[in-house]
Structures are given as C-alpha cells and as structure tokens.
Amino acid sequence: MRFILNIIWLVLCGLWMALGYVVAGVICCVLIITIPFGIASFRIASYALWPFGRTTVERRDAGAGSLIGNVIWFVFAGWWLALGHIVTGIALCVTIIGIPLGIANFKLIPVSLMPLGREIVPTDRPFATR
C-alpha cells in the first residue's frame, strides 16, 4: 500500500514539493555560509519525494545550534515551503482519494519549518539512532 501511495504522491505533488526543496538547497549551497541548510534541504527533498514508509524523529544530540539554525531557516525558506504544503494539502483534500495525501502534506509542515535537529527514519524503526 505504501508503494501505491508513494507513486500517487509522486505524480500529484511529490515531484513539485521536492523541486521546491532542491531549489532552496541550491540557493543555500551557493551562499557558502548556509551550506548546512542546503544539506538539510536536500535531505528533506528526498523525504518529500517519497514520504510513505518513513517518518522524522528529533535527534537527541541536537543542541542550541540547531535551534538558532531553525530560526534562520524559518525566516528565509521555511515559511514559503510550509505555505506550499498547506496549499497542496488543501487542494488534495478536496477529493476523497486525495485526503491521505493531503494529511501527509500537513504532516510535512513541521519538518519544512524546522528541519535541523531531525532525522528521517523508516517507520518500522522510529526510535533508531545513528
């Protein structure tokens, strides 16, 4: 079932949302000082491309640096990526078939707002650590 949902997700919204993260990542990598934000953006782009069967967990070793980084990310890129998830989620929830995909879009909003200090893991290992 996850495979079918991921294929439908990829066609309807996954490719466009992942493209938004890739654009944000490229912009962040061009500016040398924001390369950690670019890496986080590329990581979330892969998650936005194929989300079913994976989840995010907070890293226990994330400290004050990730908090400060998340504030900077929110100001420059997080809010418009979250806005993209909100618009896409509402559009998908209009149809009955799109409701699970809309809910998945809404679940991606916290990750798009605060990507630093999070790790993407398979759903069968949500408490996995590095």
Side-chain angles (χ1 to χ4, degrees):
M1 188 63 161
R2 284 186 243 169
F3 181 74
I4 294 170
L5 284 172
N6 277 323
I7 294 296
I8 295 170
W9 172 272
L10 182 67
V11 171
L12 294 179
C13 66
L15 189 60
W16 305 113
M17 294 308 300
L19 187 63
Y21 284 104
V22 168
V23 168
V26 167
I27 291 170
C28 287
C29 285
V30 167
L31 307 168
I32 303 300
I33 199 162
T34 56
I35 287 177
F37 301 120
I39 293 169
S41 184
F42 292 140
R43 189 170 20 101
I44 295 173
S46 72
Y47 181 53
L49 195 62
W50 202 260
F52 294 100
R54 299 192 290 173
T55 188
T56 61
V57 293
E58 292 185 24
R59 293 179 57 167
R60 297 187 187 272
D61 59 348
S66 67
L67 175 69
I68 294 167
N70 280 329
V71 170
I72 295 169
W73 172 264
F74 177 81
V75 170
F76 291 108
W79 67 271
W80 63 269
L81 289 169
L83 186 64
H85 283 296
I86 291 170
V87 169
T88 307
I90 290 171
L92 286 170
C93 284
V94 170
T95 65
I96 292 175
I97 292 177
I99 291 174
L101 302 174
I103 292 171
N105 253 316
F106 297 140
K107 287 183 179 179
L108 280 169
I109 292 171
V111 178
S112 69
L113 290 175
M114 296 177 289
L116 302 174
R118 293 194 158 291
E119 185 176 1
I120 299 168
V121 296
T123 54
D124 57 345
R125 296 182 312 165
F127 300 108
T129 60
R130 287 188 180 206

